[in-house]
Amino acid sequence: MEWGGEYSLDSSNLDCLLNILPGEMEFQQIISDLDEKIKKNSSSIEQCLKDLQSEVNEICTDEILQSTTDCLQWLNNCSFSSLRPSSAHHGELMEFLRTLQSLLKNEQNQEEMILHFLLDLSSQCGVSFPCTPSETSFELTSSLHAVEDDSTVDEKSLWDDVRLHLRRFLVNRLQSQEETNTNALQQQTEFKTQCIQQLLFLYPESEVLTKYQNMQNKFVSDLLQNCILSSCGETNFDKVVHGYQSSLPTLCTMIKEDLYILSGAIDPSSSLKFINETYLDTITEEMTVLLERLCELQFKENALHIVKANKISKKHRGTVHAVASEEYQKKGRNFCLTLYQLKCLSQLIKLFLSMEEKIEELTGEILLVPSFTEKKKNVQGVLKKASGELLIGETRANETSVLPEQLLQVEEPVFLNFGWRNAFKDLSSSMAHCITIAIEDFSTKILQQEQKEQFSAAGYAMSLVNNQQMREPCGAVQQEEQPKRIAKFCSDIMEELDTLLPLALACRDDSLQEIRANFVEACSKVATAVLARLGEKSKDVPSKAPLQNFYATLSTAIYVFQHFTMYSDLMGETSKKPLFLVPIQQYQEFINDLQFQVTDYCVGVCATSILQDAESHHWDDNKAFYEGERCSFSVQMWHYFCCALHHDLWTILPPKTAQEILTDVLEQSLDILSSRYCQACPSHKRTPQIRLDIAAILMSTEDMLWSVCSSVQEFLNPHEDRDLKIYKIHSHCNSLLSVLAILTSPLKNLYETFLNNSDEHLPQDFSKVFYHPLDWLFCIPSSCSSLLKTPSAREMTAQGQLKLLLSQPYCNLNLLLETLLHHDCLLVKILLKSSRNGVFNRDEKGSLLEQINNKQATMIETIFTVLSYCTLSPKSLGIAFETYMEKERLWNFLYNMTVSSCGEPEPEVIRCLKLTLINSVKGIVKQIISLMHSWEATESYGTYQHKQIVPESLLKTVPKEWNYTPREMKRKESGKCFTRLAAQAVSIVISKLPTVIACLPPPIKYFFFLAERKMSRNFAELKKAGLLVWNLIVIICRIFEDGNTAELLTGATLDRWSKEKLSLVCVCLESIMGKQKSGPKEVTQKVIQSIEQQRPNWIESHLLKARKLSTGCTSVTAESATLGEGGIALEFTEQKINMMVLDICHKPGGSEYLRQIYHIIRLNEEYLQEQLSCENSSEDGVTSSRCLPLTLKGREEQPVFNPFHVYRQSSAKMFNQSTITEWNWDWSNLLPSYLGQNQMTFRVLLAHRWEMKEGADLEDEEKVMVEHLKNVYLTQSTPISEDKEE
């Protein structure tokens, strides 16, 4: 049958679908594309069945098929042996086979040609060459033309000789490929797959698999044995670990390769059986023998009979294993394993656990078997049930007498069975006994060593270590919950336990349960001992140890708690009851109590020590405090204490816990300050001191507030129900500000505000007066004016966002992304502007593959990637890069993208866009190349590059009854069909463009929409389909023109014929887009006309659909921009930010890109603040040519708290009395905000003013005002006067 695509099956290009959240328009396009392909494939299958039905009815006249359903049933029940045979002359067949035999024996390098010739003969003429086992009868049949078989020995021997020669050729090719192992995995897999399929053409499946299995089995055994023997010296545990570390990754690669090979040749059940017998059983056997040998060497003085058995030949290895197992079970706990040996065994088990997980992923990915977590009760051995519905063939003993189609009718399900745990059974009792001794031994030694160091040291300060990079088992702990510094002794203990943990994780059957039980018991004892030691450490504070020990003890306890929680989760997967329940509860209670003690102690220090300042708080003193040159000592010391506490918490504790403690201490200490200053009755000379103190307190609180708030919402709009502590902090600050306003404001301003020159009293209904928690921030003349907008706006400036981000104790990804997107990506624009000198800072002469795999991303690439991931904020990428693109004059680069980067260097932004488009069209490229290979496979002899022609002498011997037409003649006849090939290729590209665009991230689509608006006046041809569609087709054409790029993307090998045909497809695509400079060629016109004739206006409609999808994101962003403002809108924005962060972190390199940007921002905090202030003050801003440091210079040492540095900062800002006294307080705006204050509070504060005291030195006008105020507010009720006296 000629190639023409009659039964062409199609698939949708959904490579990028899971990378985005499609909109309604994109979703409809994807669904409609899927529906169209399903209908097309269904139609093709239906037509194929109809053709088969008519062909069967024509040949098999005794059995008429009425419908396609009957056709399917006939195929299912058909037995090839029941087909009516027709004869072929015995002499012709013998001559044909002798000619094959002669060519193979007398001519060199004819094997590949003959193989493809036989395959072509079978597919074209329907000849079924015998695929019987090596020693069965000879019968040559065909589904259409059966060959007469005389069952002569000569025919059988001739055919066996021919296929034996071909088998040796194929086996040698497989073995040579295994030995070289230099090709890429995909090419090597394709090569082996074809060899296996050719072997299956010659021999039955069971025989081919047995032969291939023996080859792979030998390779696995040699690999495992050589990895041990290659090292010098005797075999030991360390040597085994290093050997398996190097060999197991190779075995995983081989298993992956064979899964791909077998999935294309045999059914999944046979593939699983092959993997079991070839790899998993062999690994288990080799590991068992190796462990036996190690135990013999370790305990030869107590097992002399095992030493004698070790001298037996390898042929009796099974007997040795049985004897050894029996003797080991007798000895039981007498085997003594050191801690080092246990660690080696643990490392070995960890390797097997990792390999086990890898195999699970591979079988699920390649064979599409159910997930391992679906039904754990169905696990056999240690691996998942491969498929509850997959069925295994009958045993090999019966394969010779059963037809292939009957092998599908089987009953038993197939399991993957990796029994590596069986190799450790004989050591299980020894490991279980020794693991308890080892854990108790090293934990006791570490605790004793820590106690000795404490006694020998001058002080009681704990020795701490950094915990910045959590070890692998703790990777599940969120960054905000990870302790930063912990006690060294505890870190050492947990590190040893982590090393031994795989021993307990390996227990999934009864034979190894004792190991896990002993591990849990020993760990529980260690946890209790460590908890007792931490309790002792906490009791030493503050009498013997510094306050930092409190924080370190709490951080260490959290670290241990997280570890045992993780242990419980990991081992709980196979345990029926919770593990470490008691230690976890004990640590949870200890952590809660200790956190409360830390907070209570810090607040107590503030209340009883720092804020007890008799000299400063002598409010009745008629002498000014230090002549008004400074605020109270207590306020200044309170600020220093909070700064020191902030430093200690930020550098030791987990970020979340640190913020909780600092928030509690700040809130409770502000409560104390508010209460005390509300009770102060200052003299005339001390009244300015009250104002200075409260101003300093409020400024210090504002500085701390950025650290205790973890989000913009929490800072700007705290709710009493959701953010109670933050709300209380604002409440205390507003109370202090009310003290400042009512107690220290000028009498005249107070009088005019509250009496308004009339007898009107304070309003009785205070709820009607507006009140906002942030009022105090905008009443003090501080830096908040540049960081915050008005309270009603509920919005931060870009500087405020940056300050909030960098005040956090960790890299808050949500806050980071919000800062990057804030104020039209202003911060990103500054970063891009400052890196203008680095536009071409990467070597662009590397290959495309190097660009794709390059993990060292620059700052521009990092920013571009992060913003392109922000699918819920489509405009951000375009807005951020618009100014940068204009200043660098990069828009014109988008008009004609290139693929190969071997020439001139290109800007990083263009390269990022190009790689995004290349990845999006990869599916189209693969499908077109697959189409070319299908055509070439029909036009020539397969995909191999040989140009051998079948000899005329062989063609003459082909039996005439087979009606074979030489390929050369068919190629001349079918050459006219190339127009159909090109038309199908062009149709594939055009039909898939809308789906490709629908799957592109919205930021990329908006970026091209923005670029099109910039350049649409200059390029009229872009109006036809749009810039994005233009570039996608240009990228596809460039990939086809550059064969190297196509091979890198697809892994396929293209010959000259394929490249020529692909170049012609490029010409057709360019002609459709109007890009061709000269007129279209005749062939091009034919291709386009053939498409238009079959489907008029189809090309134009698909291009318009693609253009509509490419510009559809603009309408979505326009709708989102019209959302209402206020609290609901902000909460929705916060949810969007969280969704985008989760999406980014699930993308390749997403979280690392965010952290890289964060480090760049932190390194350049002062510079960025300066640039943001310039942007706020002037639209033009200040251009800086400073080049940003893009990478961190290694890990910086732990910062040390410097009180002098804090003093210098505080003196310049908060405690500069000359500056504070010169503040121009806007009393006319400040005092009216307290009209809604509680009457009782106002009267108490009014009574505390110095003017209200008896005998105050007042002028006549002041006396009138005071008397009026007293009459209105202070003489109405007795409680007020009593309170005043108190």
Side-chain angles (χ1 to χ4, degrees):
M1 184 176 62
E2 290 183 358
W3 182 92
E6 290 91 342
Y7 312 124
S8 60
L9 300 182
D10 206 349
S11 61
S12 290
N13 177 32
L14 301 179
D15 295 340
C16 306
L17 177 59
L18 298 180
N19 293 332
I20 67 165
L21 184 64
E24 183 177 357
M25 187 184 303
E26 288 82 1
F27 185 77
Q28 290 178 355
Q29 169 59 33
I30 293 168
I31 295 299
S32 64
D33 185 64
L34 284 171
D35 186 57
E36 180 183 347
K37 305 310 177 191
I38 290 173
K39 289 179 180 178
K40 184 178 178 181
N41 294 341
S42 176
S43 176
S44 298
I45 295 172
E46 186 75 17
Q47 183 61 40
C48 180
L49 289 174
K50 287 180 179 179
D51 293 346
L52 181 61
Q53 176 189 349
S54 62
E55 195 170 359
V56 171
N57 288 339
E58 179 182 348
I59 297 171
C60 303
T61 56
D62 58 338
E63 188 173 3
I64 304 300
L65 305 178
Q66 301 296 334
S67 64
T68 54
T69 304
D70 295 338
C71 186
L72 289 172
Q73 292 177 352
W74 178 84
L75 284 173
N76 188 44
N77 300 324
C78 176
S79 175
F80 292 105
S81 61
S82 65
L83 292 175
R84 179 184 300 174
S86 61
S87 61
H89 195 272
H90 172 67
E92 291 181 352
L93 182 60
M94 290 293 294
E95 184 181 1
F96 173 70
L97 294 175
R98 287 194 186 98
T99 306
L100 288 177
Q101 185 186 44
S102 176
L103 279 174
L104 290 172
K105 288 185 176 181
N106 301 326
E107 301 289 340
Q108 292 183 351
N109 303 323
Q110 297 296 309
E111 291 86 358
E112 189 170 356
M113 179 272 295
I114 290 177
L115 271 171
H116 289 287
F117 171 68
L118 292 175
L119 287 167
D120 184 53
L121 191 63
S122 177
S123 62
Q124 183 187 150
C125 304
V127 177
S128 179
F129 288 95
C131 187
T132 56
S134 302
E135 298 179 357
T136 57
S137 62
F138 178 78
E139 182 179 4
L140 189 61
T141 62
S142 169
S143 60
L144 302 181
H145 306 283
V147 181
E148 182 182 0
D149 181 18
D150 296 333
S151 301
T152 61
V153 179
D154 292 337
E155 291 172 346
K156 177 183 180 303
S157 60
L158 282 174
W159 173 244
D160 283 347
D161 189 47
V162 168
R163 63 175 182 166
L164 179 61
H165 193 109
L166 294 175
R167 187 180 76 176
R168 288 172 180 169
F169 167 74
L170 291 172
V171 170
N172 288 335
R173 296 189 73 176
L174 284 172
Q175 290 177 337
S176 62
Q177 187 77 4
E178 199 73 68
E179 292 172 0
T180 55
N181 198 22
T182 56
N183 293 345
L185 177 61
Q186 184 174 353
Q187 295 178 356
Q188 181 172 326
T189 302
E190 292 176 356
F191 173 82
K192 286 188 172 183
T193 300
Q194 188 153 13
C195 289
I196 296 295
Q197 289 173 343
Q198 290 169 344
L199 283 171
L200 290 171
F201 173 73
L202 301 172
Y203 291 91
E205 179 181 301
S206 59
E207 194 167 339
V208 173
L209 290 182
T210 301
K211 182 66 177 177
Y212 185 61
Q213 181 175 334
N214 292 336
M215 286 174 48
Q216 297 296 83
N217 212 331
K218 183 177 184 303
F219 184 85
V220 172
S221 298
D222 292 344
L223 177 66
L224 293 176
Q225 292 173 8
N226 292 336
C227 73
I228 306 299
L229 298 177
S230 59
S231 304
C232 301
E234 294 184 355
T235 303
N236 52 41
F237 287 93
D238 191 48
K239 193 175 177 182
V240 171
V241 171
H242 284 90
Y244 274 79
Q245 276 179 338
S246 61
S247 61
L248 290 186
T250 305
L251 292 177
C252 285
T253 303
M254 291 177 62
I255 291 174
K256 179 179 181 180
E257 181 182 287
D258 277 347
L259 282 172
Y260 275 115
I261 292 170
L262 298 175
S263 65
I266 60 176
D267 62 281
S269 58
S270 300
S271 301
L272 295 176
K273 184 179 180 183
F274 180 90
I275 297 299
N276 278 338
E277 296 177 354
T278 307
Y279 292 98
L280 307 185
D281 293 348
T282 305
I283 294 172
T284 302
E285 180 183 353
E286 292 293 334
M287 191 65 215
T288 302
V289 175
L290 189 60
L291 287 179
E292 288 175 9
R293 190 183 310 154
L294 286 174
C295 293
E296 291 168 9
L297 295 174
Q298 184 71 26
F299 307 112
K300 58 184 178 180
E301 67 280 1
N302 297 326
L304 297 178
H305 54 284
I306 298 180
V307 175
K308 296 178 182 178
N310 192 34
K311 298 178 182 179
I312 301 176
S313 175
K314 291 184 178 180
K315 296 181 180 178
H316 305 288
R317 190 169 57 185
T319 306
V320 175
H321 172 56
V323 174
S325 300
E326 183 179 353
E327 292 299 325
Y328 288 170
Q329 291 174 1
K330 290 179 181 178
K331 287 183 69 68
R333 294 181 179 273
N334 294 333
F335 294 170
C336 183
L337 297 172
T338 64
L339 176 61
Y340 178 76
Q341 291 169 343
L342 285 173
K343 287 182 179 180
C344 290
L345 290 171
S346 181
Q347 275 187 283
L348 198 58
I349 289 176
K350 184 178 180 181
L351 291 174
F352 282 114
L353 288 171
S354 177
M355 183 181 184
E356 185 175 86
E357 183 179 358
K358 181 66 176 177
I359 296 175
E360 290 172 6
E361 294 176 359
L362 290 174
T363 52
E365 174 187 348
I366 300 172
L367 301 181
L368 302 178
V369 296
S371 173
F372 174 52
T373 57
E374 288 181 5
K375 292 184 178 181
K376 290 190 177 294
K377 63 181 180 180
N378 288 334
V379 174
Q380 177 179 359
V382 299
L383 286 181
K384 60 189 170 194
K385 178 179 180 180
S387 174
E389 300 177 356
L390 291 179
L391 301 177
I392 188 170
E394 296 190 16
T395 60
R396 291 180 175 175
N398 298 328
E399 276 187 1
T400 58
S401 59
V402 181
L403 291 175
E405 63 271 14
Q406 293 175 335
L407 292 177
L408 296 175
Q409 303 174 2
V410 291
E411 300 177 356
E412 295 183 3
V414 179
F415 296 88
L416 271 175
N417 185 10
F418 194 6
W420 61 268
R421 286 173 176 80
N422 297 329
F424 292 87
K425 281 186 177 180
D426 299 326
L427 282 173
S428 60
S429 59
S430 301
M431 289 191 294
H433 174 66
C434 296
I435 196 172
T436 303
I437 300 174
I439 291 175
E440 292 178 356
D441 185 52
F442 71 69
S443 60
T444 303
K445 288 181 179 179
I446 292 174
L447 289 173
Q448 291 176 350
Q449 180 66 25
E450 189 274 336
Q451 196 167 16
K452 289 181 182 178
E453 292 177 356
Q454 178 180 334
F455 290 151
S456 61
Y460 280 79
M462 295 173 64
S463 176
L464 305 180
V465 293
N466 290 334
N467 189 42
Q468 296 294 338
Q469 294 181 347
M470 300 289 286
R471 286 186 289 275
E472 183 181 352
C474 304
V477 179
Q478 296 293 331
Q479 187 184 5
E480 62 179 7
E481 298 177 353
Q482 289 184 8
K484 294 184 178 180
R485 288 175 67 80
I486 56 175
K488 183 180 181 304
F489 77 92
C490 188
S491 176
D492 294 340
I493 291 176
M494 300 312 297
E495 185 176 0
E496 297 287 353
L497 291 180
D498 287 344
T499 306
L500 297 177
L501 177 63
L503 295 175
L505 295 180
C507 304
R508 288 186 181 175
D509 51 27
D510 296 335
S511 62
L512 303 178
Q513 288 292 334
E514 188 181 0
I515 299 177
R516 182 171 64 186
N518 289 4
F519 179 82
V520 171
E521 182 181 357
C523 286
S524 299
K525 293 180 180 179
V526 171
T528 303
V530 171
L531 185 63
R533 180 61 56 88
L534 292 177
E536 296 173 2
K537 296 286 184 183
S538 64
K539 293 177 182 178
D540 290 337
V541 180
S543 58
K544 298 179 180 178
L547 182 58
Q548 284 80 0
N549 279 24
F550 246 155
Y551 316 137
T553 302
L554 178 58
S555 181
T556 305
I558 294 173
Y559 175 79
V560 178
F561 168 77
Q562 291 174 350
H563 256 71
F564 283 112
T565 302
M566 180 265 298
Y567 287 176
S568 179
D569 293 340
L570 291 177
M571 287 187 278
E573 296 178 359
T574 56
S575 176
K576 298 180 181 179
K577 59 181 180 180
L579 305 173
F580 301 106
L581 185 60
V582 174
I584 288 176
Q585 290 179 348
Q586 291 176 343
Y587 272 86
Q588 186 66 67
E589 294 174 0
F590 179 77
I591 290 169
N592 294 336
D593 294 342
L594 194 57
Q595 184 171 342
F596 174 79
Q597 291 178 28
V598 170
T599 305
D600 187 64
Y601 176 79
C602 292
V603 175
V605 168
C606 292
T608 60
S609 300
I610 296 176
L611 299 181
Q612 292 294 337
D613 187 2
E615 182 182 0
S616 300
H617 293 170
H618 188 194
W619 304 118
D620 293 336
D621 192 357
N622 291 322
K623 183 180 179 181
F625 182 69
Y626 279 80
E627 300 181 359
E629 294 180 357
R630 60 168 299 131
C631 66
S632 300
F633 293 120
S634 58
V635 173
Q636 195 167 358
M637 292 302 108
W638 172 77
H639 171 73
Y640 293 153
F641 176 79
C642 288
C643 290
L645 178 65
H646 174 277
H647 173 272
D648 291 339
L649 296 177
W650 258 230
T651 55
I652 297 177
L653 284 169
K656 186 177 180 181
T657 306
Q659 281 186 313
E660 290 176 357
I661 293 176
L662 185 61
T663 303
D664 288 340
V665 173
L666 183 62
E667 186 271 322
Q668 294 183 39
S669 59
L670 281 173
D671 187 18
I672 297 171
L673 288 169
S674 175
S675 176
R676 291 189 179 180
Y677 278 91
C678 284
Q679 299 175 18
C681 300
S683 64
H684 176 54
K685 295 291 185 179
R686 288 295 182 112
T687 296
Q689 183 189 352
I690 293 280
R691 188 184 304 159
L692 294 175
D693 284 0
I694 293 178
I697 291 171
L698 295 180
M699 284 191 293
S700 178
T701 303
E702 180 263 332
D703 189 56
M704 289 289 169
L705 195 61
W706 299 96
S707 299
V708 299
C709 293
S710 57
S711 68
V712 176
Q713 277 297 96
E714 193 175 5
F715 192 104
L716 294 178
N717 194 26
H719 289 282
E720 189 172 1
D721 298 331
R722 186 182 61 190
D723 312 304
L724 180 60
K725 298 293 178 62
I726 304 297
Y727 187 86
K728 285 184 176 180
I729 289 174
H730 286 296
S731 178
H732 297 324
C733 291
N734 279 307
S735 298
L736 286 169
L737 187 61
S738 66
V739 174
L740 182 146
I742 298 173
L743 205 61
T744 69
S745 61
L747 181 61
K748 184 177 180 179
N749 295 92
L750 181 70
Y751 180 80
E752 292 176 352
T753 300
F754 285 87
L755 292 181
N756 198 18
N757 295 322
S758 66
D759 291 338
E760 296 181 5
H761 298 175
L762 259 64
Q764 298 298 321
D765 187 3
F766 305 106
S767 61
K768 294 182 180 179
V769 182
F770 174 77
Y771 169 76
H772 193 276
L774 265 65
D775 281 343
W776 66 275
L777 276 173
F778 296 90
C779 293
I780 57 173
S782 65
S783 60
C784 272
S785 57
S786 62
L787 302 176
L788 300 173
K789 297 184 180 180
T790 60
S792 59
R794 296 183 181 182
E795 188 177 352
M796 276 187 184
T797 63
Q799 286 178 274
Q801 287 274 171
L802 182 59
K803 182 176 176 62
L804 182 63
L805 171 67
L806 298 180
S807 299
Q808 301 302 302
Y810 71 110
C811 176
N812 188 326
L813 298 183
N814 285 31
L815 200 52
L816 171 61
L817 184 61
E818 188 175 356
T819 304
L820 295 176
L821 301 180
H822 189 268
H823 200 66
D824 290 337
C825 303
L826 179 58
L827 185 63
V828 175
K829 292 178 181 178
I830 294 175
L831 289 172
L832 294 174
K833 179 183 67 177
S834 304
S835 61
R836 287 178 58 189
N837 295 333
V839 177
F840 303 103
N841 62 351
R842 174 185 279 188
D843 184 10
E844 291 295 332
K845 296 184 180 181
S847 66
L848 174 70
L849 188 64
E850 291 174 350
Q851 292 183 43
I852 295 176
N853 296 331
N854 198 323
K855 298 179 181 179
Q856 192 67 27
T858 63
M859 188 191 71
I860 293 179
E861 290 174 298
T862 302
I863 293 175
F864 180 92
T865 305
V866 168
L867 294 182
S868 67
Y869 288 161
C870 296
T871 55
L872 297 180
S873 181
K875 287 189 174 182
S876 299
L877 179 65
I879 291 173
F881 279 87
E882 183 176 6
T883 305
Y884 174 79
M885 296 284 287
E886 289 175 353
K887 289 184 177 180
E888 299 298 330
R889 300 177 181 177
L890 301 179
W891 292 118
N892 289 337
F893 278 84
L894 297 179
Y895 180 66
N896 192 9
M897 281 190 178
T898 60
V899 174
S900 179
S901 295
C902 298
E904 295 296 326
E906 61 184 357
E908 292 173 282
V909 180
I910 304 302
R911 182 173 64 251
C912 293
L913 285 168
K914 179 188 67 179
L915 293 178
T916 302
L917 298 187
I918 289 174
N919 287 327
S920 68
V921 300
K922 191 184 298 183
I924 296 179
V925 174
K926 288 181 178 179
Q927 188 167 352
I928 298 297
I929 291 178
S930 176
L931 179 65
M932 293 296 166
H933 283 168
S934 299
W935 171 277
E936 191 178 8
T938 308
E939 289 296 288
S940 59
Y941 302 120
T943 58
Y944 287 96
Q945 307 304 317
H946 71 282
K947 299 299 179 183
Q948 292 173 298
I949 299 176
V950 180
E952 190 68 24
S953 59
L954 179 59
L955 291 175
K956 289 180 180 180
T957 61
V958 177
K960 295 179 181 180
E961 287 82 356
W962 293 352
N963 295 326
Y964 176 68
T965 303
R967 180 66 61 178
E968 286 74 15
M969 296 177 60
K970 290 183 65 64
R971 181 161 48 191
K972 292 176 183 179
E973 295 172 0
S974 61
K976 300 177 182 179
C977 297
F978 172 72
T979 302
R980 300 172 63 186
L981 168 66
Q984 186 174 358
V986 172
S987 298
I988 289 173
V989 174
I990 300 299
S991 65
K992 291 187 177 297
L993 277 177
T995 305
V996 168
I997 292 176
C999 293
L1000 276 175
I1004 299 295
K1005 290 189 280 189
Y1006 181 80
F1007 191 93
F1008 277 96
F1009 172 78
L1010 186 64
E1012 188 175 338
R1013 292 195 305 178
K1014 299 285 183 182
M1015 52 199 303
S1016 59
R1017 297 179 181 177
N1018 300 327
F1019 304 101
E1021 62 268 26
L1022 293 179
K1023 296 179 180 179
K1024 183 176 181 180
L1027 181 61
L1028 179 54
V1029 179
W1030 171 278
N1031 274 287
L1032 285 172
I1033 291 183
V1034 168
I1035 288 289
I1036 292 172
C1037 292
R1038 296 296 176 267
I1039 292 174
F1040 289 159
E1041 291 173 358
D1042 183 12
N1044 294 331
T1045 302
E1047 291 180 359
L1048 288 172
L1049 283 176
T1050 63
T1053 303
L1054 299 176
D1055 60 357
R1056 187 174 64 181
W1057 185 92
S1058 298
K1059 291 179 181 179
E1060 290 175 356
K1061 300 302 180 283
L1062 287 175
S1063 65
L1064 189 55
V1065 173
C1066 293
V1067 174
C1068 296
L1069 291 172
E1070 290 175 350
S1071 178
I1072 291 174
M1073 297 303 296
K1075 188 176 183 293
Q1076 216 172 2
K1077 296 181 180 179
S1078 60
K1081 298 179 181 179
E1082 183 180 354
V1083 179
T1084 305
Q1085 289 179 335
K1086 289 182 179 179
V1087 171
I1088 299 175
Q1089 287 175 2
S1090 66
I1091 299 175
E1092 290 294 333
Q1093 287 175 359
Q1094 292 183 3
R1095 291 176 283 186
N1097 300 323
W1098 179 81
I1099 295 177
E1100 184 177 356
S1101 65
H1102 267 71
L1103 292 178
L1104 289 176
K1105 185 188 294 185
R1107 177 171 176 78
K1108 184 179 180 181
L1109 286 166
S1110 66
T1111 58
C1113 60
T1114 57
S1115 60
V1116 176
T1117 53
E1119 292 176 6
S1120 62
T1122 60
L1123 289 175
E1125 297 181 356
I1128 297 177
L1130 281 173
E1131 288 179 5
F1132 176 68
T1133 303
E1134 190 174 353
Q1135 292 174 3
K1136 281 173 52 176
I1137 291 292
N1138 187 47
M1139 290 176 63
M1140 284 191 287
V1141 168
L1142 291 175
D1143 191 30
I1144 291 171
C1145 291
H1146 282 88
K1147 299 289 179 59
S1151 58
E1152 290 302 319
Y1153 288 152
L1154 285 172
R1155 288 188 175 89
Q1156 183 179 348
I1157 296 173
Y1158 175 79
H1159 288 309
I1160 293 172
I1161 293 174
R1162 178 167 285 282
L1163 285 174
N1164 302 274
E1165 177 181 2
E1166 295 181 3
Y1167 166 74
L1168 293 174
Q1169 289 285 9
E1170 175 189 345
Q1171 293 293 307
L1172 287 173
S1173 62
C1174 293
E1175 294 285 347
N1176 290 336
S1177 60
S1178 172
E1179 291 184 0
D1180 296 333
V1182 178
T1183 303
S1184 174
S1185 60
R1186 173 182 170 188
C1187 185
L1188 292 179
L1190 303 181
T1191 55
L1192 289 174
K1193 298 179 180 179
R1195 181 179 295 182
E1196 299 178 0
E1197 294 186 2
Q1198 196 67 35
V1200 179
F1201 178 70
N1202 186 352
F1204 297 103
H1205 177 67
V1206 176
Y1207 171 77
R1208 286 192 295 270
Q1209 283 186 327
S1210 303
S1211 298
K1213 181 181 177 182
M1214 303 170 199
F1215 305 119
N1216 189 341
Q1217 305 305 312
S1218 60
T1219 302
I1220 297 179
T1221 52
E1222 292 174 1
W1223 280 355
N1224 185 18
W1225 292 89
D1226 189 1
W1227 302 110
S1228 59
N1229 288 329
L1230 176 61
L1231 289 171
S1233 62
Y1234 292 97
L1235 288 173
Q1237 193 173 38
N1238 183 277
Q1239 285 195 28
M1240 180 70 70
T1241 304
F1242 175 77
R1243 287 167 180 162
V1244 170
L1245 294 177
L1246 181 64
H1248 290 171
R1249 286 183 65 98
W1250 70 271
E1251 295 94 341
M1252 301 298 169
K1253 295 180 180 179
E1254 298 294 336
D1257 186 11
L1258 302 173
E1259 297 181 359
D1260 294 338
E1261 183 181 0
E1262 293 175 340
K1263 289 180 180 180
V1264 173
M1265 291 187 287
V1266 168
E1267 192 65 28
H1268 194 181
L1269 288 170
K1270 285 183 177 181
N1271 291 334
V1272 173
Y1273 299 110
L1274 302 183
T1275 60
Q1276 292 183 355
S1277 60
T1278 306
I1280 296 296
S1281 59
E1282 292 177 357
D1283 183 73
K1284 177 185 173 182
E1285 293 175 0
E1286 292 177 2

